[in-house]
């Protein structure tokens, strides 16, 4: 089942190197592309490698985005939540998922801890605060991520007891900053 799902996702997003389009343009992109030739960055977050395989900004998708992320040992996402559903497939490595499924209260609270491992999958419900952490000291954690409602608006927490009202909105998110310019409201 895992192999079928991965092949299905990758068949949607594989690339070829024949396009001459800019990073932010979806015009001129071939239907099939080579993943190894896609833009990869850590976006100032040490230990992270992120590739948007198919996204709203880079590919014009309206319902989902697909990412390939690799976390070096000890690296992690911030504690965060978003209004889209998220599905992870762990391709290699292991780590810990922290999930506060009680996000309906005033703050996330103590999260549940789940061991994640190669060949495992999990989903994040809408607005549940969570964090993915490579707690394996010896191996990278690599995940294939599908998220709904792109481009993603992320609320970031300093800790699990920070009130929801104090969480910091990050939009556009790191990998969309170059191409998606948030509309600036005229205050006059």
């Amino acid at each position: 089942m895992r192999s079928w799902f991965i092949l299905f996702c990758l068949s949607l997003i594989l690339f070829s190197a024949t396009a001459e389009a800019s990073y932010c343009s979806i015009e001129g992109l071939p239907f099939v592309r080579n993943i190894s030739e896609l833009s990869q960055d850590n976006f100032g977050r040490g230990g992270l490698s992120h590739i948007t395989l198919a996204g709203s900004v880079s590919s014009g998708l309206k319902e989902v985005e697909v990412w390939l992320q690799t976390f070096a040992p000890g690296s992690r996402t911030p504690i965060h939540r978003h209004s889209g559903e998220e599905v992870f497939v762990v391709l290699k490595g292991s780590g810990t998922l922290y999930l506060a499924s009680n996000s309906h209260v005033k703050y996330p609270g103590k999260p549940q801890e789940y061991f994640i491992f190669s060949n495992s999958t999990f989903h994040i419900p809408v607005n549940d605060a969570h964090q993915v952490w490579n707690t394996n000291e010896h191996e990278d954690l690599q995940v294939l991520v599908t998220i709904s409602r792109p481009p993603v608006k992320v609320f970031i927490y300093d800790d699990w007891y920070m009130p929801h009202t104090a969480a910091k909105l990050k939009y556009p998110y790191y990998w969309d900053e170059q191409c998606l310019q948030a509309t600036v409201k005229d205050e006059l």
Side-chain angles (χ1 to χ4, degrees), residues 25-46:
S25 172
I26 61 172
E27 292 182 31
L29 287 179
F31 187 71
V32 177
R33 299 176 244 177
N34 185 334
I35 292 173
S36 65
E37 295 171 354
L38 294 176
S39 178
Q40 175 178 302
D41 201 339
N42 69 5
F43 301 94
R45 295 172 51 195

Side-chain angles (χ1 to χ4, degrees), residues 48-174:
L48 171 70
S49 168
H50 173 93
I51 301 172
T52 297
L53 300 174
S56 62
V57 173
S58 63
S59 306
L61 297 181
K62 293 177 180 31
E63 302 296 328
V64 297
E65 285 193 346
V66 181
W67 307 328
L68 181 62
Q69 295 182 324
T70 305
F71 297 87
S75 62
R76 61 186 182 262
T77 66
I79 301 167
H80 66 286
R81 68 178 171 86
H82 35 72
S83 62
E85 298 170 308
E86 197 169 24
V87 176
F88 288 76
V89 176
V90 180
L91 301 176
K92 74 174 197 176
S94 61
T96 304
L97 164 66
Y98 297 93
L99 178 64
S101 56
N102 57 347
S103 293
H104 60 278
V105 295
K106 294 182 181 182
Y107 52 84
K110 182 174 173 44
Q112 291 182 294
E113 295 181 28
Y114 298 93
F115 177 67
I116 58 176
F117 50 91
S118 182
N119 240 3
S120 66
T121 185
F122 58 93
H123 73 277
I124 306 298
V126 171
N127 280 323
D128 278 0
H130 59 284
Q131 181 178 48
V132 175
W133 196 325
N134 182 356
T135 50
N136 183 324
E137 297 177 6
H138 307 289
E139 184 178 18
D140 287 348
L141 171 65
Q142 187 174 58
V143 294
L144 183 66
V145 183
T146 303
I147 189 164
S148 67
R149 302 181 69 186
V152 65
K153 294 179 181 177
V154 177
F155 290 88
I156 299 174
Y157 296 79
D158 294 335
D159 61 52
W160 294 98
Y161 294 94
M162 181 178 193
H164 293 304
T165 56
K168 299 172 197 87
L169 172 63
K170 176 67 176 142
Y171 179 79
Y173 206 60
Y174 297 103

